[in-house]
Amino acid sequence: MEGTRYNKAYKGNDDIAGTGLLRLEINAAVNDDWLVRARLDGQTSLNNDNGTIGTSTGKDQVTTKRIFAQGPLFGATAKIGKFGTFDNAALTNGGLIIDKELTGAEFAFGKAVKTTLTYGRIANGSILGVVGSKAGQVADYASAQFSYAPTKALTVAAGYNYLSDDGFTNVKYAGKNIGDNYGFWNAGFDYKLTKDFTFGGVYVKSDAETNNATINSIQADSSEAKSYSIQLTYKGVKASVPGSYGLWAAYRQLGSFATINTTFNGAETGTKGYELGAMYMLDKNILSKTVYYDGENITGGKDIKKVFERLEFAF
């Protein structure tokens, strides 16, 4: 089982979102090698007692977010079904490109050079800033990610992500054709400066046609095809150790056409700015997380200030 989360976000002077999330992780053994795994999410609005999250009628519901088989196949650890995929998992800035469910297959293998190959279908209604997508529309997704630790202090990683679907052309972005496929090259590193301090970064470049897109009726800045994150991290939390904590300071840019669905709680797609964060274990398995983000839209330069808070109970 995963636990319960209570999230609260503020942008400017406005309380923009309050949610409660009950997340259950289910593991069922098929045999000594294979598991079937599932994730159930029950989410509710903390701003409205009637419930405003989940279905077309605006009511709460429990959804099956993931269900997949996992086990050894072709010399790799395989996932087959609907699962979550995540870029650059070995790095502190991992998840800059994607932290999202897809339906397909993933194979992880390698000792010195760790390799993850992923292929599947992903809902495109919210990716790459594409708006107005038809319900049920999906895109092909593929990625190859590599990581290597030449020393105990240094980890390097690189990869390529690819999206393709005629829907990108047919739906269009803000009335303009932005093409029907995209490639993302990425590279990054983590370096342990001391026992407690880690410095790292990830850079992503997309070949999306930003010159053919507008954002909020403004010609898209060419930087919308680039994403990067630089972060200094101090210590980190341990769920079993009350009083343990972690702090970080980062500068992030999340281009609308270079980030699919980020894992970050402060920085948002289409923005760039500074992020400060802290996590603290209030008690065993009780986590408090606070993130402050001060930035602006990449296109247009509108200022954005945001505070995100989370209280998480694991069980």
Side-chain angles (χ1 to χ4, degrees), residues 12-84:
N13 296 321
D14 297 325
D15 178 355
I16 62 170
T19 61
L21 171 66
L22 174 66
R23 173 167 288 171
L24 303 179
E25 300 275 3
I26 301 170
N27 297 321
V30 177
N31 52 42
D32 292 341
D33 296 322
W34 283 84
L35 292 172
V36 172
R37 312 185 72 173
R39 170 181 288 182
L40 305 180
D41 280 5
Q43 193 169 1
T44 186
S45 171
L46 301 181
N47 294 352
N48 187 334
D49 292 335
N50 292 326
T52 58
I53 297 174
T55 70
S56 59
T57 58
K59 300 298 182 181
D60 303 333
Q61 70 172 3
V62 177
T63 57
T64 303
K65 299 291 288 186
R66 302 176 182 179
I67 183 166
F68 61 95
Q70 179 175 316
L73 187 65
F74 306 131
T77 297
K79 296 179 182 178
I80 302 172
K82 185 176 183 180
F83 54 88

Side-chain angles (χ1 to χ4, degrees), residues 177-196:
N177 183 343
I178 58 171
D180 60 4
N181 59 80
Y182 307 87
F184 306 76
W185 292 100
N186 69 84
F189 73 96
D190 267 3
Y191 186 76
K192 291 190 69 66
L193 301 171
T194 67
K195 176 184 176 181
D196 294 325

Side-chain angles (χ1 to χ4, degrees), residues 70-149:
Q70 179 175 316
L73 187 65
F74 306 131
T77 297
K79 296 179 182 178
I80 302 172
K82 185 176 183 180
F83 54 88
T85 190
F86 191 94
D87 70 277
N88 292 301
L91 304 180
T92 54
N93 289 283
L96 174 62
I97 303 172
I98 186 169
D99 180 6
K100 190 174 178 66
E101 282 73 30
L102 62 79
T103 301
E106 184 169 273
F107 298 89
F109 56 92
K111 293 183 178 180
V113 178
K114 301 183 184 302
T115 301
T116 302
L117 305 178
T118 308
Y119 176 78
R121 300 282 283 171
I122 187 171
N124 73 14
S126 62
I127 60 179
L128 289 169
V130 176
V131 294
S133 296
K134 297 178 181 179
Q137 195 165 25
V138 294
D140 292 313
Y141 172 82
S143 71
Q145 289 286 161
F146 309 93
S147 66
Y148 174 64

